[in-house]
């Protein structure tokens, strides 16, 4: 849902991008620094119960996920390595955010139930990303769905921020929503790939998709 608004980031973050480029900062450095900031902010603040403070810190560093891409485009240095580094760093940052919330429920709220719900959100979120990566490695198109990465982050961060301000049950509601929407997104993406795979198989008739051309099965 929120992925469609990424095009607006260039207007908002343009001055920051130009400043960093002008001072010779590499997009890779921004990626790594942003990931470290997210991991430390989430794993230090959330387990301590510093929810709104942690959200502010994490949000500042999450913005770097957009800045590094804009820097690479503006300097013409976009590369497969940069895309790989960005994607793998995102997975680590997401795990830290959900891990921090899980620890908050386990140690600050003493709630095994909500810790398990947070774990479900983490698992389905990582699964969603894996489905996309694996599908694209096989040549399929896979994306979108009810809750992409940006949507998942917004849900958990808004819930944590409001909970930190004293709004009751909002974080629990956010985690439940996140677990459900992430699960639905997984199956939406799997269905995308299934339809494409079925079309490829149908176009090849009775041949095994892995068999060499001219070698019927």
């Amino acid at each position: 849902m929120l992925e469609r608004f990424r095009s607006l980031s260039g207007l908002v973050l343009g001055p920051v991008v130009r400043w960093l480029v002008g001072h010779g900062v590499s997009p890779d450095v921004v990626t790594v620094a942003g990931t470290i900031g997210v991991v430390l902010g989430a794993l230090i603040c959330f387990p301590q119960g510093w929810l709104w403070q942690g959200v502010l810190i994490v949000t500042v560093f999450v913005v770097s996920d957009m800045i590094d891409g804009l820097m690479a485009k503006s300097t013409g240095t976009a590369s497969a390595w940069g895309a790989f580094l960005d994607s793998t760093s995102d997975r680590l940052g997401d795990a830290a955010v959900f891990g921090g919330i899980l620890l908050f429920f386990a140690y600050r709220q003493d709630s095994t139930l909500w810790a398990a719900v947070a774990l479900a959100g983490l698992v389905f979120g990582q699964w969603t990303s894996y489905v996309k990566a694996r599908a694209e490695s096989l040549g399929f198109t896979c994306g979108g769905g009810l809750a992409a990465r940006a949507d998942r982050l917004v849900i958990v961060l808004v819930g944590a921020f409001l909970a930190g301000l004293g709004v009751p049950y909002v974080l629990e509601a956010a985690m439940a929503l996140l677990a459900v929407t992430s699960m639905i997104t997984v199956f939406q993406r799997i269905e995308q790939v299934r339809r494409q795979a079925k079309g490829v198989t149908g176009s090849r008739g009775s041949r095994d998709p892995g068999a060499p051309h001219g070698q019927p099965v």
Side-chain angles (χ1 to χ4, degrees), residues 50-157:
W50 305 334
L51 296 180
W52 69 265
Q53 297 94 330
V55 169
L56 292 182
I57 293 172
V58 168
T59 300
V60 168
F61 287 104
V62 163
V63 172
S64 68
D65 183 50
M66 293 180 284
I67 290 177
D68 57 3
L70 292 171
M71 290 174 64
K73 290 179 181 179
S74 68
T75 58
T77 57
S79 65
W81 161 251
F84 171 80
L85 179 64
D86 184 65
S87 181
T88 52
S89 297
D90 286 347
R91 302 291 80 75
L92 178 59
D94 293 352
V97 170
F98 288 99
I101 296 297
L102 187 157
L103 293 174
F104 167 76
F105 281 123
Y107 294 109
R108 291 289 164 179
Q109 300 294 308
D110 194 25
S111 174
T112 303
L113 171 62
W114 289 108
V117 173
L119 178 60
L122 170 60
V123 170
F124 281 118
Q126 298 292 329
W127 191 8
T128 300
S129 298
Y130 175 77
V131 169
K132 177 181 173 67
R134 181 57 175 156
E136 291 179 346
S137 74
L138 295 173
F140 297 112
T141 299
C142 182
L146 187 59
R149 178 177 181 259
D151 305 303
R152 297 194 299 271
L153 279 176
V154 167
I155 291 171
V156 67
L157 293 178

Side-chain angles (χ1 to χ4, degrees), residues 2 24 31 38 70 78-79 86 113 122-123 145 158 162 169 172 210 214:
L2 293 174
T31 300
V38 169
L70 292 171
S79 65
D86 184 65
L113 171 62
L122 170 60
V123 170
V158 169
L162 294 177
Y169 305 115
E172 290 84 350

Side-chain angles (χ1 to χ4, degrees), residues 128-204:
T128 300
S129 298
Y130 175 77
V131 169
K132 177 181 173 67
R134 181 57 175 156
E136 291 179 346
S137 74
L138 295 173
F140 297 112
T141 299
C142 182
L146 187 59
R149 178 177 181 259
D151 305 303
R152 297 194 299 271
L153 279 176
V154 167
I155 291 171
V156 67
L157 293 178
V158 169
F161 184 78
L162 294 177
L165 296 180
V167 179
Y169 305 115
V170 67
L171 184 55
E172 290 84 350
M175 297 312 299
L177 175 64
L178 189 67
V180 172
T181 56
S182 295
M183 179 180 65
I184 292 173
T185 302
V186 167
F187 292 112
Q188 285 178 317
R189 292 188 175 185
I190 289 175
E191 177 60 17
Q192 284 182 33
V193 177
R194 188 194 70 81
R195 289 197 302 267
Q196 294 174 66
K198 186 176 180 180
V200 170
T201 302
S203 68
R204 292 181 178 178

